[in-house]
Amino acid sequence: MKKILAASALALALWPSHALADFTLHILHINDLHSRIESISRFDGTCGADDEAEGKCFGGVARLKSAIEAKRAELAGQNVILLDAGDQFQGSLMYTTYKGKAAAEFMEAMDFDVMAVGNHEFDDGPEALSEFIDRVSFPLVSSNLDVSQSNALAGKLSDHVILDVGGEKIGIISALATDTTETSSPGPNVIFQDEVAALTAKVAELSEAGVSKIVALNHVGIVKDMQIANAVSGVDVVVGGHSHTLLSNSAEGAFGPYPLMVGSVPVVQAYAYSKYLGHLTVTFDDAGNVVSATGEPFLIDANTPKDAEIAARVEELVAPVEEIKNRVVASAPAAIDGERGQCRLVECAMGNLIAEAMLDRVADQGIQIAIQNGGGIRASIDAGDVTMGEIYTVLPFQNTLATFFVSGQTIIDALENGVSQTEEVKGRFPQVAGLEFTWDPSVAPLQGRVVEVLVDGVPIDPAAEYGVVSNNYVRGGGDGYGMFVDAQNAYDFGPDLAEVLAEYMAAGNTAPQLTGRIKQK
């Protein structure tokens, strides 16, 4: 049995501690579902009917519901909580159509205990997040956000949550990546505090009030999660999201073991898109110290049955967008790689295709260069028929083409920004067309990693003016591209980027090649 307890320091201080022996807690968790309401293909896009019939699909909320209920049945009578590390919003036509309403409905059906705020929960501003909070019965938490000045969020967001689980107090705190101001749209009235400093202060407050078991439910990425586990004394467990990291003891290609131990602190994450349900078993001694931590993410594949009621509701919601989704726009002779780990680190086929489509659309406007942020590319496309639904899964953000003119030096600065956070696999990595560049990862970030830039085979002239096409998010300073905000002759209201890609592919451009336009020294 669990319940949410009052969170005032005074009330906590008055609660006696009843811990007399080891206490075992089962943490079920997901992260970065990104509106994958329907089941997904092996490329993380919406799974087609044929693949569904052949048992080739993964995840989706109907299977996720079944997986959660099966775990709860298996663990009946034990101490179980269900957590979401953020980013329910954005990523498919289901979000484009229903915004946060569908996510709220299905999360309620699964009976989540706590959700962290992810950066994409701000994609439609604080108001959309506020509406989502109004639709759910569980608390949303973020310990490093000050929303007191936000008319939409003041009083609605928790800076910590206390769960009563089996008579024990479990503290849930959370950090949201401070670069959310660059990666989403929280607006000026949501104030971000340093993640480590905010969590340290919150741990001290909870510890003083007698809470000895504290989970950091973060949305900061695996690198920062490990830093937090090392730096914030008193955090017992870190459950993370944001970097879509697969931790596993058996899955091929996993980033590391599950849990990933940082000292005595287990750190877990469960990939993304509803493909896995994480299950961490943690045992605490009577002083609240972790004495063991074991587990493994559960793969939600075709062997997991769909919950019938949820599946029926999904079909009902899908119906209005089915015609758009199923419209075939092209045929790809081979799979087109848009994987996160590629497009945020190196030249990738999907990045080339999108950048070339952008440049092709505006080449008659004096535009020479295209720059697309790798974080805006959200899936691959399989070989065969390409539907509009797949394209919207690749490019779900409804960005528009933006054209503008800047100096060669500004372009160099933009590329320097683009390769400045590759160690953390950040979305600012630039996929390009119309230029080539070489960068040196051994150089410190923003200290001259970009060592050569060529435009049409000629070294870029820092003093010359160049025409650039990107998307309105990047042109507006997103992902650290603030150097474009004051560009000349800027126009941010071109056609939807997904539509541009669809038309380009419909014209027969379906086999992008890796050309060596992005090189490492």
Side-chain angles (χ1 to χ4, degrees):
M1 178 181 179
K2 58 183 176 290
K3 58 183 178 180
I4 298 170
L5 300 173
S8 74
L10 176 61
L12 287 172
L14 295 175
W15 290 334
S17 174
H18 298 291
L20 299 175
D22 287 357
F23 173 81
T24 297
L25 178 67
H26 296 273
I27 301 175
L28 306 180
H29 62 98
I30 65 167
N31 55 275
D32 300 284
L33 190 133
H34 282 298
S35 193
R36 297 310 204 270
I37 303 297
E38 299 175 85
S39 57
I40 61 170
S41 71
R42 62 193 179 98
F43 295 101
D44 296 333
T46 301
C47 203
D50 290 344
D51 282 348
E52 191 74 75
E54 294 174 17
K56 296 180 179 179
C57 299
F58 302 87
V61 293
R63 285 195 181 95
L64 179 59
K65 165 74 169 175
S66 289
I68 291 168
E69 291 308 312
K71 280 291 182 183
R72 284 176 170 149
E74 174 189 328
L75 301 170
Q78 301 183 60
N79 303 307
V80 183
I81 59 175
L82 177 60
L83 306 178
D84 185 332
D87 272 5
Q88 279 280 336
F89 285 19
Q90 199 65 265
S92 77
L93 279 174
M94 295 295 278
Y95 182 78
T96 304
T97 305
Y98 298 107
K99 300 303 180 182
K101 295 178 184 177
E105 177 179 339
F106 294 120
M107 290 190 76
E108 280 290 282
M110 296 178 209
D111 195 21
F112 276 82
D113 291 301
V114 186
M115 175 181 169
V117 177
N119 59 311
H120 286 289
E121 267 72 72
F122 284 109
D123 278 3
D124 286 289
E127 294 77 15
L129 176 55
S130 176
E131 291 174 9
F132 176 82
I133 293 173
D134 289 342
R135 290 178 178 273
V136 298
S137 59
F138 53 83
L140 272 76
V141 62
S142 193
S143 304
N144 69 321
L145 296 187
D146 177 359
V147 296
S148 60
Q149 300 176 42
S150 169
N151 291 334
L153 291 173
K156 291 189 172 185
L157 198 59
S158 302
D159 61 5
H160 70 281
V161 175
I162 308 296
L163 299 177
D164 180 352
V165 186
E168 296 290 329
K169 297 189 290 289
I170 309 298
I172 310 292
I173 59 178
S174 180
L176 173 59
T178 55
D179 66 357
T180 295
T181 54
E182 299 175 353
T183 63
S184 191
S185 304
N189 296 324
V190 175
I191 311 303
F192 286 74
Q193 301 164 341
D194 177 77
E195 301 99 330
V196 169
L199 292 181
T200 299
K202 191 53 59 178
V203 168
E205 178 184 332
L206 294 181
S207 298
E208 185 176 352
V211 179
S212 62
K213 304 170 183 66
I214 299 177
V215 177
L217 180 64
N218 294 335
H219 197 85
V220 295
I222 192 65
V223 172
K224 189 61 127 179
D225 276 336
M226 292 189 292
Q227 292 173 356
I228 286 168
N230 183 62
V232 183
S233 178
V235 164
D236 298 300
V237 179
V238 175
V239 177
H242 190 48
S243 54
H244 299 203
T245 303
L246 176 60
L247 298 176
S248 172
N249 304 306
S250 58
E252 184 178 351
F255 176 85
Y258 182 107
L260 180 63
M261 299 300 296
V262 179
S264 62
V265 180
V267 177
V268 295
Q269 198 171 141
Y271 187 57
Y273 308 130
S274 73
K275 190 172 184 178
Y276 291 89
L277 174 65
H279 178 194
L280 178 69
T281 303
V282 188
T283 300
F284 301 86
D285 66 16
D286 59 3
N289 302 307
V290 173
V291 295
S292 71
T294 59
E296 178 72 3
F298 174 75
L299 176 65
I300 303 175
D301 60 13
N303 292 315
T304 304
K306 292 184 178 182
D307 178 271
E309 186 175 345
I310 297 294
R313 179 59 176 150
V314 171
E315 287 302 310
E316 185 179 349
L317 292 176
V318 165
V321 296
E322 199 67 27
E323 183 177 348
I324 298 172
K325 286 174 49 183
N326 291 334
R327 178 163 58 92
V328 175
V329 297
S331 180
I336 304 171
D337 181 15
E339 291 302 301
R340 178 190 184 94
Q342 294 293 105
C343 296
R344 296 181 179 217
L345 290 173
V346 296
E347 175 189 357
C348 72
M350 189 68 76
N352 285 357
L353 181 65
I354 293 168
E356 288 160 8
M358 296 164 73
L359 190 57
D360 179 78
R361 184 63 171 256
V362 297
D364 60 353
Q365 300 176 25
I367 304 299
Q368 303 152 273
I369 295 165
I371 299 176
Q372 163 69 24
N373 57 318
I377 303 169
R378 308 303 286 194
S380 300
I381 287 177
D382 204 354
D385 285 347
V386 179
T387 65
M388 201 64 214
E390 288 179 288
I391 288 179
Y392 274 116
T393 300
V394 174
L395 296 169
F397 296 108
Q398 295 182 289
N399 292 136
T400 55
L401 284 197
T403 54
F404 50 95
F405 291 82
V406 293
S407 70
Q409 185 59 55
T410 299
I411 293 168
I412 296 170
D413 294 343
L415 297 175
E416 192 73 29
N417 167 70
V419 298
S420 67
Q421 296 187 1
T422 52
E423 291 84 354
E424 299 177 55
V425 199
K426 292 288 189 176
R428 61 190 59 196
F429 189 86
Q431 297 294 329
V432 300
L435 64 74
E436 304 169 36
F437 72 92
T438 302
W439 67 288
D440 185 350
S442 69
V443 177
L446 303 175
Q447 299 298 315
R449 282 187 166 183
V450 176
V451 296
E452 183 181 49
V453 182
L454 304 177
V455 180
D456 293 329
V458 177
I460 196 167
D461 181 350
E465 184 177 74
Y466 294 86
V468 181
V469 61
S470 188
N471 59 66
N472 63 309
Y473 171 72
V474 168
R475 217 291 298 172
D479 271 343
Y481 287 93
M483 66 290 298
F484 289 156
V485 170
D486 297 322
Q488 300 298 305
N489 298 319
Y491 182 73
D492 298 330
F493 310 107
D496 183 283
L497 182 53
E499 296 288 345
V500 170
L501 178 59
E503 291 180 17
Y504 186 69
M505 294 185 74
N509 303 292
T510 57
Q513 302 298 312
L514 299 180
T515 64
R517 67 190 70 180
I518 301 173
K519 302 183 181 72
Q520 286 189 25
K521 184 173 179 181

